[in-house]
Amino acid sequence: VQLQASGGGLVQPGGSLRLSCAASGFTSPYYAVGWFRQAPGKAREWISCISSRTSGGSTYYAGSVEGRLTISRDNANNMVHLQMNSLKPEDTAVYYCAKKRAGAGCTTDISDYNTWGQGTLVTVSS
């Protein structure tokens, strides 16, 4: 069971990036998948989640990113994407995708996620 995050990079404030999370060893539509980020010197924080397909694929966002980020599934390719728009310098962080341990719904508790991708660095700077 593995997750691999990609798509990070350097972007100017106001710019956009699309992060991708490729799943292997399990069928991601049957699990909730979350995105987290960790800025330098700060704790890892939950920012978004999409529930399993059987739970309707509901999406959830932290208040700090709502309206700027969109999480989605590509079931055919066993992937989850995170479209990030209107990026700000404070969005600079390593971004991680993670599979929820059990249950189809989303939670914000980091301990509920048991499989993590390696992280992809997003730097927002002019």
Side-chain angles (χ1 to χ4, degrees):
V1 177
Q2 286 188 327
L3 293 171
Q4 184 169 359
S6 62
L10 174 63
V11 63
Q12 292 187 342
S16 299
L17 280 175
R18 186 191 192 213
L19 306 184
S20 296
C21 178
S24 60
F26 71 100
T27 306
S28 65
Y30 294 111
Y31 293 87
V33 174
W35 282 94
F36 296 74
R37 68 184 181 187
Q38 187 165 17
K42 294 189 176 181
R44 193 170 299 188
E45 64 172 342
W46 173 88
I47 56 172
S48 184
C49 179
I50 186 165
S51 69
S52 73
R53 186 173 61 185
T54 55
S55 290
S58 299
T59 59
Y60 303 89
Y61 303 93
S64 60
V65 302
E66 191 155 18
R68 300 188 296 120
L69 271 57
T70 303
I71 190 171
S72 62
R73 286 189 185 275
D74 176 357
N75 292 328
N77 293 299
N78 214 19
M79 297 183 74
V80 174
H81 302 291
L82 187 69
Q83 177 67 41
M84 304 193 298
N85 300 326
S86 302
L87 285 164
K88 306 174 182 180
E90 51 264 42
D91 293 317
T92 295
V94 178
Y95 284 69
Y96 300 88
C97 58
K99 166 188 160 291
K100 189 161 172 281
R101 183 183 309 275
C106 285
T107 63
T108 62
D109 189 342
I110 193 171
S111 66
D112 288 336
Y113 296 80
N114 66 342
T115 301
W116 292 82
Q118 82 286 5
T120 184
L121 176 62
V122 172
T123 303
V124 184
S125 175
S126 55

